[in-house]
Amino acid sequence: MKNLKLAMLFSLVFVCVDWLSFIHPMGQLNITPWNPPAAVQVLFLTWAGLNWAPWVFITIGFADWLIRDSIIFSSSVLIGNTILIGCYASISYVLIKLMKGVPRLQNRVEVFKLSLVSVIGAAITSILYVGFQTLIGKLVKEDFAEASYRFFVGDLLGLVVVLPLSLLFLNQYRQNQFKQMFKSQSFWLLFLGLLVCEYFVFSLPIALQMKYFFPLFFAVGLIGAAHSLPGATFAAAVVQIPLVISFTQIGVLPSDLIDMQIVMFTLSMTGLLIGTVVDERLNTQEKLKETLQLVAAGELAGSLAHELHQPMSAINAYAESAMLLSSSEHNELNGKNKDTLRKTLDQIIKESIRASEIVRGLRSFFIGGASNIKLADVDQLVTDTVFQLESYAQKLNVQLKIEKLREPVWVMVDITQVKTALGNLIKNAIESANSDGVVEVMFAFDKQQRIEISIFDSGKTLDIYESEIIFKPFYSDKKDGLGLGLSISKSLIENNDGSISYRSKPKKCFVVSLPTGNKIDV
């Protein structure tokens, strides 16, 4: 039932379009310089299926009788229409095979295939149909070349102007693009410019219209660039209609219309190319967006693995200590052991909370750059971070030194994010310092009243190349490093309106700068 309604709609549209486009015919045949019914037939056969070819045959015969006063059952009409149906069905079949279904015109390759099939199909159809009409005497042999050329141009323009626009209109995804386009103020401004250009060109004498046709190229190109393939195909169709109307005036020669149609073909192909290139760029942006989402997910996973390593290692160590304290060798715990066990379990709880905060903080940051901003004491931030790394420093025989602030300095930051970043920097400094080395944390204020937290280590300084790429993701000089620590730290600090920089003079250090409203002598 659905296909029957579609078939009835096709017949109605076909007859109307055939009547409108029946201009400058040769021998009262449908050999005209503009033949959009060809595109309507190919579209219907492509969309509904080739088994509807008999219905198309009947519709063409009815249109011949109604518009051209042809005798439906004459051999010239029956055989001629059979040739047309066979050619248009072949075009539809080739398009479906080449594009594996109804053409969607997603890239330049598909547009090229559509254009190539249109050119070849129109050429073959014109030769076969006009050749048959010449053979049976409907056309004189001297008119064969002109009639074939006129038929070819008419079919070709119908296929490259009407068919792409119709295919896009029937595509659900493209329908949304058309809706967005028609809602866009920029489209209507550009469309107004196109109408002004059309008025300028088609108000000129016929002899001057081709000479001043170039503004239409500019207008169609702009619409195609701004609104991709839907805009380009729609603009080309809008240009085609007044062009044909202007050449229906009395005294206008068919040759003039054919010449203008060749220019129109160039305009349509230009619009298709521009629209397709813009479409591909938009598709590339969408794919890039998806790729970046995957990269962000990968970085989140890598960051979690990187940041959770330390608290999980600490939990493991504390848990082993608790197990030893509660083992059979310590069944009767004295007061000192009970106190130690209590402190160990308390550390396990703290490290578990810390791990949870890291997961929450990093997840919120990577998903939407979200922060849980709170007022924080800089001295407390650094002290807590250093305390969590003291056992690690002792294991590597590195001494940690912290310069104390004389008075409190407060900053508005996401505490978890800043602690994570500082922890990364101090841990890297511990690993960089040689055995018996020293890591120092010092404070200062810059000229913009920002607190600077400088982390010095006694390791070797970075060369110029390393200092330029040290903050890039996945760069690491460690054998088992992920190369995410400094990159994540930089992102976290910048998310809190801060910055991280590397300095080699007077001593090697990484400097974290955070905004604050008070300057305290240190």
Side-chain angles (χ1 to χ4, degrees), residues 416-450:
T416 301
Q417 291 181 10
V418 173
K419 276 187 176 181
T420 300
L422 290 174
N424 276 331
L425 294 173
I426 296 172
K427 183 172 180 286
N428 285 346
I430 293 171
E431 293 172 348
S432 178
N434 299 318
S435 182
D436 297 324
V438 178
V439 172
E440 296 180 87
V441 182
M442 303 182 70
F443 303 96
F445 280 90
D446 63 13
K447 295 179 181 180
Q448 285 76 39
Q449 305 301 309
R450 295 163 68 92

Side-chain angles (χ1 to χ4, degrees), residues 157-218:
L157 260 293
L159 290 171
V160 299
V161 175
V162 177
L163 188 57
L165 178 62
S166 302
L167 288 170
L168 294 178
F169 260 124
L170 293 174
N171 185 296
Q172 188 173 2
Y173 170 72
R174 297 292 192 175
Q175 287 173 4
N176 293 329
Q177 285 187 314
F178 277 109
K179 289 177 183 177
Q180 293 299 320
M181 182 179 76
F182 291 139
K183 291 179 181 179
S184 171
Q185 185 178 5
S186 65
F187 166 75
W188 291 110
L189 290 174
L190 292 172
F191 185 70
L192 179 62
L194 175 63
L195 295 180
V196 171
C197 290
E198 284 187 320
Y199 178 78
F200 166 73
V201 172
F202 296 120
S203 63
L204 294 172
I206 298 297
L208 295 176
Q209 288 185 11
M210 185 179 294
K211 183 178 180 181
Y212 292 100
F213 204 77
F214 67 89
L216 295 176
F217 278 87
F218 182 68

Side-chain angles (χ1 to χ4, degrees), residues 4 28 173 185 202 214 272 316 334 357 368 377 379 384 417 429 437 439 455 476 489:
L4 181 59
Q28 280 303 105
Y173 170 72
Q185 185 178 5
F202 296 120
F214 67 89
L272 282 175
N316 183 61
N334 53 35
E357 289 177 346
D377 181 358
D379 189 67
D384 289 348
Q417 291 181 10
V439 172
I455 302 165
S476 176
S489 299

